[in-house]
Amino acid sequence: MPLTDLTLPELLAFRPEVAEPDDFDAFWADTIDEARAAAETAGTRPSLTPAATPVTQLIIEDLTFPGFGGEPVRAWVSRPRDAEGPLPAVVQYQGYNGGRGLPGENVLWALAGYVHVFMDTRGQGSGWGTGGVTADPHGSGPATAGFMTRGIHDPREHFYRRVFTDAVRAVDATRTLPFVDADRIAVTGGSQGGGIALAAGALAGVQAVLPDVAFLCAYRRGAEVAADGPFQELAMYLSVHRDEVDTVFRTLSYLDGVNFARRIEAPSLFSVALMDTVVPPSTTFAAYNHLAAADRAIEVYAFNDHEGGQTAHWQKQAEWLAARI
């Protein structure tokens, strides 16, 4: 399998200029304030119910919390049984069109001593894995198959505005859990989940950010060079809507992981795979190289595709995070 992008020395120096709207901060502050106000007006609070699972050595619960527009979003909460708290927490986001799956399916962070909150992604969960249950009750204008171009004409209408808001509200909900130390929360995720973690890392005031083979960064670069995967949805859309290039990338500038990375000051550990055909490594490096955090590192998997480091990388994440929170 060949390299899919630039060489490592070129990637380490790759710091492209990505358009940043003048009202980027105001846009997101207003968006998050609206979501919090919607929940407050409706009197909706996070709620936990026991999960039906054969797992007995962890406590696993079904969390429902108000996300974008106060709409219900689901997550699994897994934690060590009989551990003395409050405990640090890891909020995790899922990859493209996967869901939160079954209770007890993803428990490595809980086994490592954390409260693990695994957010379902609204409207997704039917492409692979064992499913999701969170609806996205919003329509879209003309779009390609998939999620990248849903609401592409207006950042206020775009699918990822809702998802990123849900991600921040998941951190808000985690802070309310009585067994969580609200001052020790990390966010993580792979691929799409990594891109979501970047947004949450910039907007939710967390203590650590761990994006793994992060998608949703440097959209134009991704659309131009990705050999596979959802970046191609953008290229397909623009091959039909030839006069909308400026509109598309203006909308996406509000949702770009590069612009979120510029605002992340918390300790951050990235990963990247140099033979990745889905997320070109230059798009991940574009975010990493704009990162504001002084305490930062990136693990490079030179001979891996989009699977990246898998559990070997999780072990590095766990060691790195234990030294910080």
Side-chain angles (χ1 to χ4, degrees), residues 185-196:
I185 297 177
V187 290
T188 191
S191 190
Q192 174 187 257
I196 299 171

Side-chain angles (χ1 to χ4, degrees), residues 191-209:
S191 190
Q192 174 187 257
I196 299 171
L198 287 172
L203 300 172
V206 298
Q207 284 67 55
V209 183

Side-chain angles (χ1 to χ4, degrees), residues 27 150-159 161 247 250-251:
F27 174 87
R150 294 189 184 184
I152 197 64
H153 296 106
D154 183 348
R156 291 189 60 83
E157 301 299 324
H158 198 278
F159 172 76
R161 177 177 178 244
T247 297
R250 180 183 181 279
T251 292

Side-chain angles (χ1 to χ4, degrees), residues 80-167:
R81 187 175 294 279
D82 301 325
E84 294 185 7
L87 299 174
V90 174
V91 181
Q92 182 175 351
Y93 309 108
Q94 183 59 291
Y96 195 78
N97 208 10
R100 67 174 182 167
L102 300 174
E105 187 174 4
N106 188 326
V107 295
L108 283 179
W109 285 112
L111 292 172
Y114 297 86
V115 175
H116 180 228
V117 179
F118 192 21
M119 189 186 88
D120 212 22
T121 309
R122 63 169 56 225
Q124 296 191 3
S126 299
W128 56 276
T130 49
V133 294
T134 301
D136 181 27
H138 297 266
S140 171
T144 58
F147 302 91
M148 297 291 285
T149 59
R150 294 189 184 184
I152 197 64
H153 296 106
D154 183 348
R156 291 189 60 83
E157 301 299 324
H158 198 278
F159 172 76
Y160 281 112
R161 177 177 178 244
R162 301 190 289 278
V163 173
F164 293 168
T165 303
D166 292 346

Side-chain angles (χ1 to χ4, degrees), residues 277-299:
T277 60
V278 174
V279 174
S282 59
T283 65
T284 298
F285 267 100
Y288 179 76
N289 290 336
H290 278 94
L291 192 64
D295 180 0
R296 64 179 189 171
I298 186 165
E299 291 289 339

Side-chain angles (χ1 to χ4, degrees), residues 33-46 65-72 169:
D33 286 348
E34 288 169 10
R36 289 171 175 157
E40 192 67 27
T41 299
T44 309
R45 299 285 184 270
F65 65 90
F68 176 87
E71 297 157 1
R169 296 293 286 144

